[in-house]
Amino acid sequence: MSDPLPSTLASRARSALAGQHVLVCGASGNLGGHLARQLASLGVSLTLWGRKADALDRLAADCRSTPGTAVTTRCVDIADITAALAALRESDDAGPFDAAFLVAGAGDTRETGRRFESAELVARLGLVNYVGPAALAAELGERMAARGAGRIVLVGSAAASHPLPFAAAYSSSKCGLSLFAESLRLALKPHGVSVTLASPGFFAAAAQGTHAYARPGEIAPERVAQAIIGAATAGRSEVVTPRWFLLLRWLGAALPRPLRDRLLRALPVP
Ligand SMILES: NC(=O)c1ccc[n+]([C@@H]2O[C@H](COP(=O)([O-])OP(=O)(O)OC[C@H]3O[C@@H](n4cnc5c(N)ncnc54)[C@H](OP(=O)(O)O)[C@@H]3O)[C@@H](O)[C@H]2O)c1
């Protein structure tokens, strides 16, 4: 298994997480897979969720190559909120989660030939990027608070700060999730539960050449996973990768609206 953590981070993360039961929802994907492999190297007990059983099985085998790492997998569709909550309650009753990385999400943009995204796309991204992760975090947060400890990581996006005209459903669903994460963090902090929002900019796809459009500031997903584990174990409220994307957030808020609108309209449609 090759997905090493830098040694300083590894020793800090190991002392925070070793022996703990950790959920990775969206483990079958690119970032989720890197997170799972890096967490496995810390000696945690992993529960991996996704929809593709074969991808989960391959990842589980990889994670088990770290001696002593227990791994269970489960196919869960978080767009089916009732079923996803039932799965969460059943897993948490059987072996309480100490930490959860809610990574699952979808990044689709406006369909070809349309002026705006379809109603179906808006509904699907709302469910997968906001309603599902927020509902899971609410349930887990309440349970962890009752136990007096826990860590929750919600993976949003740097796009949450920008009203992208070709990705309204994506940017607004991630914006909703980031506000939710802030509220959850404030509510749960007094009960020993930390909530970390990850707001990544672009990271490289698992398959070479998947993206045909420019992706400024793109970094390796391994680095994003490392930054997320570092922020979660330090109990930080947010991690932005790369850090200079914070400047874009600031610019988006500071520019006069007519100028900001012109820049946003000039962005190339992916
Ligand atoms: N890629 C980027 O540059 C970028 C930038 C900023 C933020 N992000 C965010 O980072 C996260 C991971 O992105 P990624 O690029 O690693 O994506 P990815 O490779 O496409 O993986 C997405 C993961 O989400 C899961 N998922 C999607 N819909 C689901 C559903 N209805 N129920 C359960 N699981 C579902 C997928 O499961 P299956 O594959 O098994 O269906 C997969 O495990 C996402 O939240 C994304 O929005 C990505």
Side-chain angles (χ1 to χ4, degrees):
M1 187 178 68
S2 63
D3 218 332
L5 285 169
S7 56
T8 328
L9 171 58
S11 69
R12 197 181 72 219
R14 196 169 287 116
S15 60
L17 293 173
Q20 298 205 337
H21 185 200
V22 180
L23 170 67
V24 181
C25 172
S28 46
N30 185 15
L31 178 60
H34 286 289
L35 277 166
R37 282 186 216 96
Q38 291 176 8
L39 288 163
S41 73
L42 303 173
V44 305
S45 159
L46 280 171
T47 293
L48 306 176
W49 285 8
R51 289 177 304 178
K52 297 193 188 88
D54 52 345
L56 287 175
D57 287 346
R58 279 195 302 274
L59 177 65
D62 219 3
C63 292
R64 285 189 193 106
S65 68
T66 300
T69 304
V71 186
T72 56
T73 62
R74 185 165 185 158
C75 286
V76 177
D77 183 349
I78 62 167
D80 183 346
I81 309 290
T82 307
L85 281 173
L88 183 76
R89 289 175 178 134
E90 192 186 297
S91 293
D92 192 71
D93 284 346
F97 290 116
D98 301 293
F101 292 74
L102 303 178
V103 189
D108 301 336
T109 53
R110 184 174 74 208
E111 299 98 329
T112 312
R114 290 189 62 96
R115 285 163 289 245
F116 197 70
E117 296 147 80
S118 68
E120 287 74 17
L121 180 62
V122 173
R124 184 166 62 80
L125 293 200
L127 271 180
V128 175
N129 289 343
Y130 172 66
V131 179
L136 292 171
E139 177 66 18
L140 257 180
E142 185 64 27
R143 286 169 169 248
M144 287 174 170
R147 299 194 282 263
R151 290 175 211 278
I152 296 175
V153 174
L154 288 155
V155 176
S157 169
S161 308
H162 307 285
L164 302 175
F166 49 81
Y170 181 70
S171 53
S172 63
S173 57
K174 292 293 190 178
C175 182
L177 190 68
S178 69
L179 195 62
F180 180 88
E182 284 285 289
S183 308
L184 188 70
R185 179 178 64 79
L186 292 170
L188 298 187
K189 193 177 164 79
H191 303 285
V193 181
S194 70
V195 177
T196 299
L197 170 69
S199 303
F202 295 120
F203 51 84
Q208 286 268 316
T210 308
H211 301 293
Y213 54 95
R215 292 164 59 88
E218 183 175 87
I219 62 175
E222 295 89 321
R223 280 181 55 202
V224 180
Q226 288 168 9
I228 291 175
I229 290 174
T233 51
R236 290 218 300 276
S237 54
E238 188 181 10
V239 53
V240 177
T241 49
R243 280 184 64 74
W244 64 264
F245 265 59
L246 278 169
L247 185 64
L248 297 181
R249 183 188 294 182
W250 177 83
L251 267 181
L255 287 177
R257 187 170 291 219
L259 177 55
R260 187 204 64 177
D261 287 0
R262 234 180 303 146
L263 289 173
L264 286 169
R265 276 203 222 95
L267 287 175
V269 180

